Amino acid sequence: MGLTKPFCYLYSNSHYLWLLKLFAMRKFIFCIIAVAAFFSAKAQSIKTPLPSPPQTIKQDFGLSSIELSYSRPGVKGRKVFGDLVPFGKVWRTGANNATTIDFADDVTIGNTKIPAGKYGLLTIPDKDTWTIIITKQLDVTNPAAYKQEMDVVRTSLKPMMLKDKIETFTMQFANVKPSTCELEIMWDNTGVVLPISEDVESVVMKQIDDALNKDNRPYFQAAMYYLDNGKDLNQAVAWFDKAIQQEPDGYWIYHQRANALAKLGKKDEAKVSAQKSIELAKAAKNDDYVRLNEKLLEQLK
């Protein structure tokens, strides 16, 4: 019996060429599918600007901070209040996700004390009055989800007409003082201001009392708090004197002591303290304090 021919010899040349073409065609189709899938994936990953971009702002306030998170829609030629934002209905006060506000310390809004924590911020805009709502709900994005029994505080504010149109919905903290600040809500031609306060006074005074009964006593900080907040200036001067005993070369202490004496109407003593501050500041090569004291001396003439 003769040897069996190799498999390829069982086919004619034309059959062999046909197989090669079929293989090449399948490879070509596979490549087309792979390329199409690649560009399809690319098309699905296109990134475009958000129509109502989110913003988170953190404001140092009192002895801690307040953090606000909200989204910022634009007017875009639309009528806003009374149309896009209906009057008399709960509004998420932004767009997309719920608006939240996080108080790191206890604060007061209206006459209500709010414990530190994270809350939802809602509003009910109307023509003549806005209702501001701080709620325990953190996920209200439509009026149907709102539950009034979850309110922490409700307060009514009068809206104002803005001089300049605000295209992008804006909330910001303004007039930030040691124990008070304002949350401004502005969009289109309408603005609302929400006052917020914190009981800084009692906390700081307790800290001062506690700290001054210890070994390393912060006399300078205590005196500065009294000076900046219009408290007993004679006590402030006494503490500045003790702070100078702790740091005899403290030109900044002499300068603030001069400010306190000037407010007390003791001009001659204030001048002496300012001159001493200039002398020490020059020795320390601090031109800023030299200028500050020279300006104070001009005012004391």
Side-chain angles (χ1 to χ4, degrees):
M1 182 181 292
L3 295 173
T4 303
K5 290 183 179 181
F7 180 75
C8 62
Y9 286 113
L10 296 177
Y11 294 91
S12 65
N13 289 338
S14 61
H15 286 156
Y16 183 66
L17 290 173
W18 180 83
L19 286 171
L20 288 174
K21 288 179 180 178
L22 179 61
F23 178 74
M25 180 63 71
R26 286 180 177 176
K27 190 174 181 181
F28 176 71
I29 292 172
F30 174 77
C31 289
I32 290 176
I33 293 172
V35 170
F38 172 78
F39 280 107
S40 175
K42 280 287 186 183
Q44 291 173 5
S45 66
I46 292 174
K47 187 174 182 180
T48 58
L50 295 172
S52 302
Q55 182 181 56
T56 296
I57 54 176
K58 187 173 183 178
Q59 175 63 58
D60 285 349
F61 169 62
L63 302 175
S64 56
S65 63
I66 305 175
E67 187 170 298
L68 176 71
S69 296
Y70 71 108
S71 294
R72 308 184 64 195
V75 175
K76 300 176 182 177
R78 301 172 291 184
K79 181 182 178 183
V80 176
F81 296 110
D83 189 0
L84 179 64
V85 178
F87 285 138
K89 290 190 177 181
V90 170
W91 178 40
R92 76 187 79 180
T93 320
N96 301 331
N97 298 324
T99 296
T100 60
I101 189 164
D102 194 341
F103 304 109
D105 270 345
D106 298 352
V107 299
T108 299
I109 293 177
N111 295 317
T112 303
K113 187 172 183 178
I114 302 173
K118 189 174 184 179
Y119 301 91
L121 172 63
L122 303 170
T123 53
I124 303 176
D126 223 323
K127 285 184 179 180
D128 302 317
T129 304
W130 276 45
T131 302
I132 309 296
I133 302 168
I134 304 297
T135 174
K136 294 177 183 177
Q137 291 180 275
L138 301 176
D139 57 355
V140 178
T141 57
N142 66 77
Y146 168 63
K147 298 175 183 177
Q148 187 168 343
E149 62 268 24
M150 300 292 281
D151 287 1
V152 177
V153 63
R154 269 180 166 237
T155 187
S156 296
L157 299 171
K158 243 183 167 6
M160 65 187 77
M161 183 69 69
L162 300 175
K163 182 180 178 182
D164 298 316
K165 180 177 178 179
I166 305 296
E167 170 63 28
T168 305
F169 177 58
T170 299
M171 289 199 282
Q172 64 185 22
F173 295 100
N175 297 320
V176 181
K177 298 176 182 177
S179 59
T180 61
C181 71
E182 295 173 341
L183 175 60
E184 296 181 341
I185 304 172
M186 301 173 290
W187 198 17
D188 200 7
N189 295 114
T190 301
V192 178
V193 177
L194 176 66
I196 302 172
S197 63
E198 182 178 334
D199 183 14
V200 173
E201 175 83 3
S202 61
V203 176
V204 173
M205 292 301 290
K206 186 179 184 306
Q207 287 181 4
I208 290 173
D209 289 341
D210 291 344
L212 295 182
N213 286 320
K214 295 179 181 178
D215 292 336
N216 189 20
R217 299 176 182 180
Y219 289 116
F220 180 72
Q221 285 178 287
M224 283 302 301
Y225 182 76
Y226 269 45
L227 175 60
D228 290 339
N229 292 277
K231 301 186 79 63
D232 186 345
L233 292 177
N234 286 303
Q235 179 63 74
V237 172
W239 282 337
F240 281 131
D241 289 339
K242 288 184 178 293
I244 288 169
Q245 291 174 15
Q246 292 173 330
E247 294 189 68
D249 295 333
Y251 52 86
W252 61 93
I253 305 173
Y254 277 100
H255 174 70
Q256 297 298 351
R257 181 177 181 273
N259 282 326
L261 289 166
K263 286 187 175 182
L264 284 167
K266 299 179 179 180
K267 289 188 176 183
D268 291 338
E269 292 180 58
K271 288 176 183 179
V272 171
S273 191
Q275 290 288 1
K276 182 64 176 179
S277 182
I278 289 175
E279 176 189 327
L280 294 172
K282 285 181 176 179
K285 297 182 179 179
N286 190 311
D287 294 335
D288 289 340
Y289 267 88
V290 172
R291 285 192 295 271
L292 284 172
N293 283 290
E294 288 174 345
K295 185 176 180 181
L296 178 58
L297 289 169
E298 282 293 319
Q299 295 170 354
L300 293 171
K301 285 182 177 180

PDB file of all heavy atoms in Angstrom, residues 211-219 246:
ATOM      1  N   ALA A 211      -7.773  79.419  80.715  1.00  0.00           N
ATOM      2  CA  ALA A 211      -6.370  79.531  80.306  1.00  0.00           C
ATOM      3  C   ALA A 211      -5.562  80.397  81.268  1.00  0.00           C
ATOM      4  O   ALA A 211      -4.383  80.118  81.538  1.00  0.00           O
ATOM      5  CB  ALA A 211      -6.277  80.105  78.892  1.00  0.00           C
ATOM      6  N   LEU A 212      -6.188  81.438  81.806  1.00  0.00           N
ATOM      7  CA  LEU A 212      -5.460  82.340  82.700  1.00  0.00           C
ATOM      8  C   LEU A 212      -5.280  81.778  84.107  1.00  0.00           C
ATOM      9  O   LEU A 212      -4.641  82.401  84.953  1.00  0.00           O
ATOM     10  CB  LEU A 212      -6.159  83.703  82.758  1.00  0.00           C
ATOM     11  CG  LEU A 212      -6.157  84.489  81.437  1.00  0.00           C
ATOM     12  CD1 LEU A 212      -6.819  85.839  81.617  1.00  0.00           C
ATOM     13  CD2 LEU A 212      -4.742  84.660  80.892  1.00  0.00           C
ATOM     14  N   ASN A 213      -5.852  80.615  84.340  1.00  0.00           N
ATOM     15  CA  ASN A 213      -5.650  79.941  85.620  1.00  0.00           C
ATOM     16  C   ASN A 213      -4.603  78.827  85.512  1.00  0.00           C
ATOM     17  O   ASN A 213      -4.422  78.051  86.442  1.00  0.00           O
ATOM     18  CB  ASN A 213      -6.971  79.340  86.129  1.00  0.00           C
ATOM     19  CG  ASN A 213      -7.911  80.418  86.659  1.00  0.00           C
ATOM     20  OD1 ASN A 213      -7.459  81.350  87.312  1.00  0.00           O
ATOM     21  ND2 ASN A 213      -9.184  80.283  86.367  1.00  0.00           N
ATOM     22  N   LYS A 214      -3.931  78.798  84.360  1.00  0.00           N
ATOM     23  CA  LYS A 214      -2.883  77.790  84.153  1.00  0.00           C
ATOM     24  C   LYS A 214      -1.517  78.458  84.137  1.00  0.00           C
ATOM     25  O   LYS A 214      -1.400  79.688  84.203  1.00  0.00           O
ATOM     26  CB  LYS A 214      -3.142  77.041  82.844  1.00  0.00           C
ATOM     27  CG  LYS A 214      -4.429  76.217  82.878  1.00  0.00           C
ATOM     28  CD  LYS A 214      -4.681  75.507  81.564  1.00  0.00           C
ATOM     29  CE  LYS A 214      -5.978  74.706  81.628  1.00  0.00           C
ATOM     30  NZ  LYS A 214      -6.270  74.046  80.344  1.00  0.00           N
ATOM     31  N   ASP A 215      -0.473  77.648  84.043  1.00  0.00           N
ATOM     32  CA  ASP A 215       0.899  78.171  84.129  1.00  0.00           C
ATOM     33  C   ASP A 215       1.264  79.030  82.912  1.00  0.00           C
ATOM     34  O   ASP A 215       1.726  80.162  83.054  1.00  0.00           O
ATOM     35  CB  ASP A 215       1.892  77.012  84.268  1.00  0.00           C
ATOM     36  CG  ASP A 215       1.742  76.314  85.618  1.00  0.00           C
ATOM     37  OD1 ASP A 215       1.246  76.973  86.561  1.00  0.00           O
ATOM     38  OD2 ASP A 215       2.097  75.135  85.722  1.00  0.00           O
ATOM     39  N   ASN A 216       1.086  78.500  81.713  1.00  0.00           N
ATOM     40  CA  ASN A 216       1.464  79.228  80.497  1.00  0.00           C
ATOM     41  C   ASN A 216       0.279  80.076  80.040  1.00  0.00           C
ATOM     42  O   ASN A 216      -0.514  79.666  79.198  1.00  0.00           O
ATOM     43  CB  ASN A 216       1.885  78.233  79.406  1.00  0.00           C
ATOM     44  CG  ASN A 216       2.485  78.952  78.199  1.00  0.00           C
ATOM     45  OD1 ASN A 216       2.910  80.093  78.299  1.00  0.00           O
ATOM     46  ND2 ASN A 216       2.508  78.266  77.078  1.00  0.00           N
ATOM     47  N   ARG A 217       0.157  81.247  80.587  1.00  0.00           N
ATOM     48  CA  ARG A 217      -1.050  82.049  80.399  1.00  0.00           C
ATOM     49  C   ARG A 217      -0.992  82.900  79.114  1.00  0.00           C
ATOM     50  O   ARG A 217      -0.063  83.687  78.941  1.00  0.00           O
ATOM     51  CB  ARG A 217      -1.260  82.948  81.618  1.00  0.00           C
ATOM     52  CG  ARG A 217      -1.440  82.125  82.895  1.00  0.00           C
ATOM     53  CD  ARG A 217      -1.543  82.967  84.135  1.00  0.00           C
ATOM     54  NE  ARG A 217      -1.678  82.132  85.325  1.00  0.00           N
ATOM     55  CZ  ARG A 217      -1.781  82.596  86.560  1.00  0.00           C
ATOM     56  NH1 ARG A 217      -1.760  83.904  86.779  1.00  0.00           N
ATOM     57  NH2 ARG A 217      -1.906  81.765  87.578  1.00  0.00           N
ATOM     58  N   PRO A 218      -1.993  82.793  78.246  1.00  0.00           N
ATOM     59  CA  PRO A 218      -1.993  83.527  76.974  1.00  0.00           C
ATOM     60  C   PRO A 218      -2.514  84.956  77.139  1.00  0.00           C
ATOM     61  O   PRO A 218      -3.594  85.297  76.629  1.00  0.00           O
ATOM     62  CB  PRO A 218      -2.924  82.674  76.096  1.00  0.00           C
ATOM     63  CG  PRO A 218      -3.895  82.101  77.066  1.00  0.00           C
ATOM     64  CD  PRO A 218      -3.143  81.874  78.344  1.00  0.00           C
ATOM     65  N   TYR A 219      -1.739  85.783  77.811  1.00  0.00           N
ATOM     66  CA  TYR A 219      -2.197  87.144  78.096  1.00  0.00           C
ATOM     67  C   TYR A 219      -2.429  87.958  76.823  1.00  0.00           C
ATOM     68  O   TYR A 219      -3.379  88.743  76.743  1.00  0.00           O
ATOM     69  CB  TYR A 219      -1.189  87.868  78.998  1.00  0.00           C
ATOM     70  CG  TYR A 219      -1.153  87.368  80.413  1.00  0.00           C
ATOM     71  CD1 TYR A 219      -0.010  86.762  80.934  1.00  0.00           C
ATOM     72  CD2 TYR A 219      -2.259  87.504  81.249  1.00  0.00           C
ATOM     73  CE1 TYR A 219       0.030  86.306  82.250  1.00  0.00           C
ATOM     74  CE2 TYR A 219      -2.229  87.052  82.565  1.00  0.00           C
ATOM     75  CZ  TYR A 219      -1.086  86.445  83.053  1.00  0.00           C
ATOM     76  OH  TYR A 219      -1.054  85.989  84.344  1.00  0.00           O
ATOM     77  N   GLN A 246       6.270  88.554  79.649  1.00  0.00           N
ATOM     78  CA  GLN A 246       6.594  87.243  79.070  1.00  0.00           C
ATOM     79  C   GLN A 246       7.546  87.387  77.880  1.00  0.00           C
ATOM     80  O   GLN A 246       8.417  86.545  77.670  1.00  0.00           O
ATOM     81  CB  GLN A 246       5.307  86.537  78.613  1.00  0.00           C
ATOM     82  CG  GLN A 246       4.384  86.100  79.752  1.00  0.00           C
ATOM     83  CD  GLN A 246       3.058  85.563  79.231  1.00  0.00           C
ATOM     84  OE1 GLN A 246       2.566  85.968  78.181  1.00  0.00           O
ATOM     85  NE2 GLN A 246       2.471  84.631  79.985  1.00  0.00           N
TER      86      GLN A 246
END
